[in-house]
Amino acid sequence: MRANHKRSKTPAYYTASIAYDRRLAKYDIAGSVAHARMLAKQGIISEKDAELIIMGLVAIRQEIEQGQFPFKEELEDIHMNIEARLFEKAGDVAGKLHTARSRNDQVAVDVRLFLKDAIKDSARGIRGLQEALLKQAEANRDALMPGYTHLQRAQPILFAHHMLAYFHMLQRDMGRFQDCLRRVDMLPLGSGALAGVPYLVDREFLAKELGFARISENSMDAVADRDFIAEYQATAAITMMHLSRLCEELILWSTEEFGFIKLSNEYTTGSSIMPQKRNPDMAELARGKTGRVYGNLIGILTLLKGLPLTYNRDLQEDKEGLFDTVDTMVSSLEACGGMVESLTVNRDKLAKAAGEGYILATDLADYLVSKGVPFRQAHGQVKALVEYAMECGKSLRELSLPEYQRFSPKFDAGVYEITPQSAVEARDVPGGTSPKQVQRALAQAKRILEEQGGR
Amino acid sequence: MRANHKRSKTPAYYTASIAYDRRLAKYDIAGSVAHARMLAKQGIISEKDAELIIMGLVAIRQEIEQGQFPFKEELEDIHMNIEARLFEKAGDVAGKLHTARSRNDQVAVDVRLFLKDAIKDSARGIRGLQEALLKQAEANRDALMPGYTHLQRAQPILFAHHMLAYFHMLQRDMGRFQDCLRRVDMLPLGSGALAGVPYLVDREFLAKELGFARISENSMDAVADRDFIAEYQATAAITMMHLSRLCEELILWSTEEFGFIKLSNEYTTGSSIMPQKRNPDMAELARGKTGRVYGNLIGILTLLKGLPLTYNRDLQEDKEGLFDTVDTMVSSLEACGGMVESLTVNRDKLAKAAGEGYILATDLADYLVSKGVPFRQAHGQVKALVEYAMECGKSLRELSLPEYQRFSPKFDAGVYEITPQSAVEARDVPGGTSPKQVQRALAQAKRILEEQGGR
Amino acid sequence: MRANHKRSKTPAYYTASIAYDRRLAKYDIAGSVAHARMLAKQGIISEKDAELIIMGLVAIRQEIEQGQFPFKEELEDIHMNIEARLFEKAGDVAGKLHTARSRNDQVAVDVRLFLKDAIKDSARGIRGLQEALLKQAEANRDALMPGYTHLQRAQPILFAHHMLAYFHMLQRDMGRFQDCLRRVDMLPLGSGALAGVPYLVDREFLAKELGFARISENSMDAVADRDFIAEYQATAAITMMHLSRLCEELILWSTEEFGFIKLSNEYTTGSSIMPQKRNPDMAELARGKTGRVYGNLIGILTLLKGLPLTYNRDLQEDKEGLFDTVDTMVSSLEACGGMVESLTVNRDKLAKAAGEGYILATDLADYLVSKGVPFRQAHGQVKALVEYAMECGKSLRELSLPEYQRFSPKFDAGVYEITPQSAVEARDVPGGTSPKQVQRALAQAKRILEEQGGR
Amino acid sequence: MRANHKRSKTPAYYTASIAYDRRLAKYDIAGSVAHARMLAKQGIISEKDAELIIMGLVAIRQEIEQGQFPFKEELEDIHMNIEARLFEKAGDVAGKLHTARSRNDQVAVDVRLFLKDAIKDSARGIRGLQEALLKQAEANRDALMPGYTHLQRAQPILFAHHMLAYFHMLQRDMGRFQDCLRRVDMLPLGSGALAGVPYLVDREFLAKELGFARISENSMDAVADRDFIAEYQATAAITMMHLSRLCEELILWSTEEFGFIKLSNEYTTGSSIMPQKRNPDMAELARGKTGRVYGNLIGILTLLKGLPLTYNRDLQEDKEGLFDTVDTMVSSLEACGGMVESLTVNRDKLAKAAGEGYILATDLADYLVSKGVPFRQAHGQVKALVEYAMECGKSLRELSLPEYQRFSPKFDAGVYEITPQSAVEARDVPGGTSPKQVQRALAQAKRILEEQGGR
């Protein structure tokens, strides 16, 4: 949620972040609980003090969960809101919690914990869409359709092959999020304001308590670093780009002109003025939301440009864009998942389009190659043949053998055996669109999903 | 305010915009009132119907102003929320309001009305900062300071001259917003869904009622166009860039190392851990917020890229980024205005820095030019002189005349009359830093502010 | 042209800009000629010296025009290359040229002169495309086609109306470039390094000589300011966005599925493998090049973010992106102009599409409104009617009057008079798609082009 | 290198890419050689034909390496230039090379091969800068300096600790490039135009020949995918952001005001007008070049937004921005490496700054904590103490014990033992700035570099 800045003379509203960083409350409390526990373990505060602090924090967590926490803008951020409340709950002992830490390493912990969860949500969203794509691919596994380059019909393909192309894009996104996670999964606590802390803290214990894989190696870097946000934003931008490509196709395929699919009613809306309309609004929104995620990426990169070490208040601006990207991308993945899952394929229309026009021209050239003609020469002969056919207004199938042979003596009756189906079957290389290859690819995709634990 | 998308299976949350477009309510109602009035004037609906509709709309406006309007997410957007409420208030006659218009031209009117107000706010924010700059310039009109290039001391200047540099940057921003306004100030209503409306509407009347300077000339363009948002975003991005430059300087000048200014307490904050800190948080935030405004610009440009005519649902995504930019920029202008107005200049430190080191070297070269030495040669001789002085650890003032003359026989006792003050006075060209020129510039700046009507 | 940075240990290549700023040569020389003339007029150098300098500069200009100038990377930039050559041509007097100026105000003059020309080229490119759009509009002035919202057929329109929508977008671009020009058209010379110059220069004379409308008002601002580049980049980004929308439509319309237009052979290319292909490569490239122009905009904004006054070497990076944007946009405008001018419209296909399906549903609702039904009610009745027709597989035309009347008793035989042609004629409001309005709009567009002086 | 688009009526210049994609020549030839070898191995062409083709390709490679290849713009791209030349060299057999492939999978191979090399160069550049940072850290391992937050002095640190912060940032960049490499390292050849090829090709053999780790799994994805470019661009953008932060600090530290370091002459430049200047131009350029790399990232993301499958000509625009980013980042890494390696640290100035002012205030608070005062209370007491000292114009050291005790009775003579050195030593936690921890970190950094194989 972006804060709605009210305009006033007093600048408090300008620096306050509580309108959005309250979302970090549960992470902030988890971090503080672990910190208190560690302080006691190390003898920096007493066990009793730690207990009082932790009891207070747990009570505050409940208040927040129940929507009863009195957030105050004048306390500016979530950390100060919680600390102030802790004083109310636990008394002066609350003042010991901030021993051996700073807001600088505290907020870094919070955002990292948040992002670890966000990456889980992102992965779940990706998986959901992958499942929907796979379901459609399997449900229409023998459906032919035209494959496009330059949005011109190019060669026949299997609809399932097209769906799997998106499956693989998303699989790369998954990989990128996992790689990003490795860099997020590092505890900054113990870095203090910038230089480390003059207490015998146990950072490995903190990491274990909070579920981090390792601890940061340089305190100045730890409080100044927001790479992990930039990396998440970049990864999300690529994922949204993928969704924009998918949605562009769904929008095209839903036009009267293409007519390849019908989106379910849940994913279309009507018009305030035109009674006949069924608009693919969800797909358009997902495509449009790509812009905001790109924008958030530029936002964080601009923010970090030229910042000297270590913490600068500019960094406060890292969070709203992050929250917005997480929400936008995860909800877009979910919307696309539902949209793909519930769409209906018009197989007849697809099959018809796969056979029209001159879509088999490449196969004619390859046919000539099989008769010994060098590819470039074959390509030239078929190009001339197609131009001739266009002029006559005939399809390839309607040309007579003598007509064929006018362009190459190598043509024989075999040309009539070239069909969309045969064209698809011929592309029987790993990664190709032949039914056999696609079958194998479907099995592999299912395996991938299973290994990832399903939905 | 950015909507906080909750995740759910039902896609309603995904398409709803009511969380943020409620901000358009007053513009939507104004548009509807004018529309109803026009429909009646043209005999498309009866006067009585119009009256009922307008009474209902006025009542709804009151509800909203008093925070009593029951916004409903399931009604998706502000237009449908208001229309539904109008049915409750005015009965079936409400159904006549949407005659001869579409949501497509309705939302375009709303955003344009909003933006006209936002440009007024933007201009007010600019003017406020300009006034603060001018006030500081006048209060310190004879203060010397080092002028910098490459963040190295270059030549002495007047502090007031430096302040006025920002005044002029902001004056250009003002010009850009005014130019943008001319393109915003156009009524799209009457364009219908895309093709115009089949009713005898009076668009000029509508324009007059709503205060637009003119009507749109092509209905398809009118509903598909979001240029004016992109232009506003670009103009705001340049303005924020200016603020980032100003804030960078305020941050630098507030360091112990520079020590040129002291920000007032209201514009600094302390540290959670370091008791001595007085951090320039406001300036850092304004600098950091530049990123989010750049991001919003990229957001709208990405959104519009490759969109076919006319309305596409992607366009719904134009608003949150716009609202965010308006709020961010206007509040940043206000924060900067207050920060500049309330800062204290350490004139002694500035004056001392203006006289240290070799900052007068250019003036020595110009001195030689006045004795007939070609500039390039003079430049070379002074460069050698400065290197010699650095090696000796002497300032220019500490060099003896024979030492000077070792580098050029043209040097005479006049070199000792070159001072920061004389250097500043010498630059007496229009736009230059001499006291006379700066005095003139201050007067002109005051005139500009007066012509714009002051705060 | 972007420099191809070779990798070496010596850092000279890193700072050199001569690989691209040589493009500024003619502006640099013009600036120097005017400067020398002014120095002599003011008695700062002798008339004779000025003459020698100017003769040398003229000779250098010729060398450059004839491709015989010995550009040297070790001299880093165009200014030093020319000055060094001037020493070779004119001897020591060359050393007097740099009196009363700095590279900081010199380069600012050069870029502003370049940009004034670039804006002329940009305007010419826009006008060319506008002419092509107008020509197509006039040649097909009575052709009907479906108008789209959400890429779904919405209401019939005139093809000419669609073309004119782009004409008006481009007209706004023109306005933005002219506004930008006013801010570019300002002489910075005389600002020196940052503080003005200690010579009695005549800046108004310089402005007149070089064709600038006015002189800069603050020397620090003058050398630090690159707003005008950012503004040009933003304006170009919006223009490219317009081209991307146009090209998206041309690509769609060229598909087998739409089949609305045929691009001329000059604007399509074949495939290396598929003999039948006629791909709309030009349109795709123009759409793709939008990205690079957006990128250049972000480049300059990022560069300027947080830069303290005045000149910083970062600013050297302002030029390559500018040159690239000018070249990209102007060539894209030309390509689009040619593409639009030479395309063929398939009027039959357009007309057929304009009559199919339920595209006249809005007109049925408006028909009911004309019989006294409130719009919302009429909309609901027609929606039900359309759903019924879809289920029966009937077009609106195929429904019997009793069928109509089942949904509203107000329907009578008049419904059969509603046709795409009548629908278009009914939208007879200013800005609407009726033949009368479009005729008026065409005349106005022609007037605009004539006032701008034609190609 | 970006092509310098000349303006002409004929659109050939608009589609040609040979001006920049010639850079792919060696990869294109390697790809073709492997393809020919595979075609022969599989019996698709004869061994003899393959031999002739390969001999021709090898000869062409030599021509290119020797700068004797006749590049022709009318042949548009590098692929067609090489194929045309192959016909000249090898005769009609050249026509067999394009069997079982398309330009779509061919160009994808070329760019992936290029990028694998570019990632190696990127890694080398990173390592070089890491070595320079480590060298400076070791050479100044006991130098104290002020650590900053908000550009205000915060706590004393070791200079080496500051250097190592950048080492770790760059180590993350290294990780991101390696992760990116895994996704680049995949053979697309065999995907044909989009659907796979109707020949019994051996894709695993091709992968092995060309050094790819694996083959692509979906032919449509393989020709449509440019994720790997976007990912590289994003990774480079983060790396440039790191350089911009480093350079900002080098610029600050080089000012007269800070005076912490002196850049070597090789990395500074003079002024055309001010003889005394030594400007940190390299650092400014690297900071400025961040903008262009951010721009290239936005360029590719914009380009890909909303593109339907599979190949579209927009994709041709993927290369110039990539080349520019690789060149910019690698040369910036090298420049920064040299700059850091050759700078001189002014230890006295650093040490003095580390002891001035109230930089030890946190340690006073921690001192009170060690006496049993809760941190918040201690923080408050020291804050009051510092304010008192500021008002008196005394440093902490100059305060008497009674003065200390006025703010807390817990203060005793031990406060005078708190020094910058003791403050640094106290922060003896993993990742902290104590000499022991920094020593350990230096050893670890050296180990990392050794494992990566040194320069």
Side-chain angles (χ1 to χ4, degrees), chain C residues 385-418:
Chain C
L385 171 75
V386 168
E387 278 162 11
Y388 165 80
M390 281 175 173
E391 267 168 42
C392 308
K394 290 185 182 176
S395 73
L396 290 177
R397 189 146 288 271
E398 290 165 341
L399 296 175
S400 68
L401 194 52
E403 283 178 306
Y404 272 106
Q405 287 166 341
R406 207 183 300 164
F407 295 90
S408 171
K410 302 283 187 169
F411 280 121
D412 61 26
V415 297
Y416 296 106
E417 283 159 34
I418 299 173

Side-chain angles (χ1 to χ4, degrees), chain A residues 159-224:
Chain A
F159 176 81
H161 194 54
H162 199 132
M163 289 296 105
L164 283 171
Y166 283 104
F167 181 95
H168 286 288
M169 284 188 212
L170 291 161
Q171 192 58 23
R172 280 195 299 278
D173 295 325
M174 186 71 94
R176 272 185 283 265
F177 280 116
Q178 297 309 321
D179 290 344
C180 176
L181 178 59
R182 292 204 326 273
R183 280 176 282 269
V184 173
D185 198 7
M186 191 195 74
L187 175 92
L189 211 56
S191 301
L194 78 153
V197 291
Y199 297 88
L200 285 177
V201 296
D202 184 344
R203 298 188 63 211
E204 295 291 354
F205 174 83
L206 282 170
K208 213 167 157 189
E209 282 286 299
L210 290 166
F212 282 103
R214 59 207 168 82
I215 64 169
S216 61
E217 300 182 274
N218 182 290
S219 60
M220 296 181 72
D221 182 35
V223 297

Side-chain angles (χ1 to χ4, degrees), chain B residues 27 45 74 76 100 108 116 158 167 169 205 245 263 269 310 327 329 412 436:
Chain B
Y27 305 110
I45 64 174
E74 66 271 23
E76 293 224 335
K116 287 180 67 177
L158 288 186
F167 181 95
M169 284 187 211
F205 173 85
R245 299 184 78 166
L263 295 175
T269 61
T310 55
D327 293 340
M329 189 193 67
D412 61 25
K436 208 176 86 193

Side-chain angles (χ1 to χ4, degrees), chain A residues 230 297-306, chain B residues 294 298, chain C residues 291 294-296 298-303 305, chain D residues 233-234 236-242 244-245 287-301 325:
Chain A
L297 169 59
I298 275 303
I300 184 75
L301 286 173
T302 302
L303 184 157
L304 291 169
K305 186 231 164 186
Chain B
Y294 285 11
I298 276 302
Chain C
Y294 285 12
N296 290 335
I298 276 302
I300 184 75
L301 286 173
T302 303
L303 185 157
K305 185 231 165 186
Chain D
Q233 292 277 17
I238 295 175
T239 304
M240 285 302 294
M241 178 267 282
H242 289 157
S244 78
R245 300 183 77 166
R287 184 178 61 182
K289 284 174 190 290
T290 309
R292 115 197 250 150
V293 173
Y294 285 12
N296 290 335
L297 169 59
I298 276 302
I300 184 75
L301 286 173
T325 286

Side-chain angles (χ1 to χ4, degrees), chain C residues 2 7 11 14 98 103 121 272 281-282 284 287 289 291-292 295 299 312-314 317 320 324 332, chain D residues 1-2 7 11 14 98 103 121 272 281-282 284 287 289 291-292 295 299 313-314 317 320 324 332:
Chain C
R2 294 235 159 175
R7 289 160 207 163
Y14 194 68
H98 211 57
R103 255 190 299 185
D121 291 345
S272 78
D281 290 59
M282 294 288 192
E284 293 169 276
R287 185 177 61 182
K289 283 173 193 290
R292 113 196 253 149
N312 300 281
R313 188 69 177 266
D314 316 54
E317 288 285 314
E320 282 186 274
D324 187 61
S332 295
Chain D
M1 194 178 73
R2 296 232 156 179
R7 291 160 205 162
Y14 194 69
H98 212 57
R103 255 189 298 185
D121 290 345
S272 77
D281 290 59
M282 294 287 191
E284 293 170 276
R287 184 178 61 182
K289 284 174 190 290
R292 115 197 250 150
R313 187 66 177 265
D314 316 55
E317 289 284 314
E320 282 185 274
D324 187 61
S332 295

Side-chain angles (χ1 to χ4, degrees), chain B residues 57-259:
Chain B
L57 288 168
V58 168
I60 290 169
R61 175 158 52 202
Q62 277 180 329
E63 281 187 350
I64 291 171
E65 283 167 4
Q66 292 161 7
Q68 289 163 353
F69 186 90
F71 290 106
K72 294 179 182 162
E73 193 183 63
E74 66 271 23
L75 291 171
E76 293 224 335
D77 62 25
I78 185 63
H79 324 295
M80 284 304 150
N81 267 274
I82 290 173
E83 186 176 309
R85 188 77 180 140
L86 186 61
F87 270 94
E88 290 169 14
K89 297 254 175 213
D92 275 357
V93 71
K96 298 192 175 177
L97 174 58
H98 212 56
T99 313
R101 78 171 183 190
S102 155
R103 255 189 299 185
N104 297 352
D105 53 354
Q106 188 180 356
V107 70
V109 166
D110 293 2
V111 178
R112 285 174 181 269
L113 285 170
F114 165 80
L115 202 41
K116 287 180 67 177
D117 274 359
I119 290 177
K120 271 186 220 148
D121 291 344
S122 307
R124 195 178 309 118
I126 290 173
R127 212 151 52 218
L129 176 51
Q130 284 182 314
E131 284 169 5
L133 290 162
L134 189 51
K135 194 187 132 189
Q136 284 290 357
E138 291 193 318
N140 299 282
R141 83 173 56 185
D142 49 4
L144 289 169
M145 71 177 287
Y148 292 79
T149 62
H150 307 262
L151 213 52
Q152 298 285 314
R153 292 180 190 162
Q155 296 172 352
I157 53 165
L158 288 186
F159 176 81
H161 194 54
H162 200 133
M163 289 297 105
L164 284 171
Y166 284 103
F167 181 95
H168 286 289
M169 284 187 211
L170 291 162
Q171 193 56 24
R172 282 195 298 280
D173 294 326
M174 186 72 92
R176 272 184 284 265
F177 280 116
Q178 297 310 322
D179 290 345
C180 176
L181 178 60
R182 294 203 325 274
R183 280 174 283 269
V184 174
D185 198 8
M186 190 195 75
L187 175 92
L189 211 57
S191 300
L194 77 154
V197 291
Y199 297 89
L200 286 176
V201 295
D202 184 343
R203 298 189 64 212
E204 294 291 354
F205 173 85
L206 282 170
K208 212 168 159 188
E209 282 285 300
L210 291 166
F212 282 104
R214 61 210 166 79
I215 65 170
S216 60
E217 300 182 276
N218 182 290
S219 60
M220 296 180 74
D221 181 36
V223 297
D225 172 30
R226 291 298 185 274
D227 285 13
F228 56 100
I229 295 180
E231 184 177 352
Y232 180 89
Q233 292 277 18
T235 303
I238 295 175
T239 303
M240 285 303 293
M241 178 267 283
H242 289 158
L243 298 189
S244 79
R245 299 184 78 166
L246 172 61
C247 288
E248 174 84 6
E249 299 213 294
L250 297 179
I251 292 164
L252 286 175
W253 295 351
S254 301
T255 57
E256 279 102 318
E257 288 76 12
F258 279 80

